[in-house]
Amino acid sequence: MKRAVSLALPWLTLILLGAIAYALRYGLVESVDVAHLCDTARSLTCDARHAAVMGFVLAPLRMSASYSYQMGIYGWVALAAAVLALSWKHPFAAWLAAATGVVAVVLYCFAPGAFALLVGCLRLVRLQSDGATPLDHHGAGGREVHSQP
């Protein structure tokens, strides 16, 4: 039971984080009522909305003279977390890549967010498997010697 909880907890927190990001996007950033409130008055809600919007509205990244890609801070953080997950084989690094990927995808940084989410989820599944392959559920890896065929 304890193992099942420890395996499910990162995935449940990713779902919770995704729900919070969606609430931030649709309840604060895209809300017409909050936009009208911020036009007329200044409040803590308006400051939070402005900070969330500034996270995905950043200077364009120049790929060449004719092509640039708009990537906000959420995308850069997601890419950095994906690199960390690829270089450090630890469940927290994998979860961090998936978590930043979820936030980046929800908050308009689609390509780097999707990459970080994919890397994080695949790495987390791999690290949670403890080396057991799909054909060998007990982790023996074919190294057992049987006395009789």
Side-chain angles (χ1 to χ4, degrees), residues 67-135:
Y67 178 75
S68 66
Y69 179 74
Q70 183 78 22
M71 188 164 72
I73 192 69
Y74 303 125
W76 287 110
V77 170
L79 283 179
V83 168
L84 178 70
L86 288 171
S87 62
W88 184 36
K89 294 179 182 178
H90 193 271
F92 176 74
W95 178 86
L96 185 66
T100 56
V102 164
V103 171
V105 165
V106 171
L107 293 177
Y108 308 104
C109 295
F110 308 114
F115 175 73
L117 181 60
L118 179 66
V119 167
C121 288
L122 290 176
R123 178 65 80 180
L124 189 58
V125 165
R126 179 69 177 167
L127 292 172
Q128 286 182 340
S129 70
D130 290 331
T133 62
L135 297 176

Side-chain angles (χ1 to χ4, degrees), residues 18-30:
I20 291 169
Y22 270 104
L24 177 68
R25 176 179 173 172
Y26 292 111
L28 204 61
V29 174
E30 291 187 4

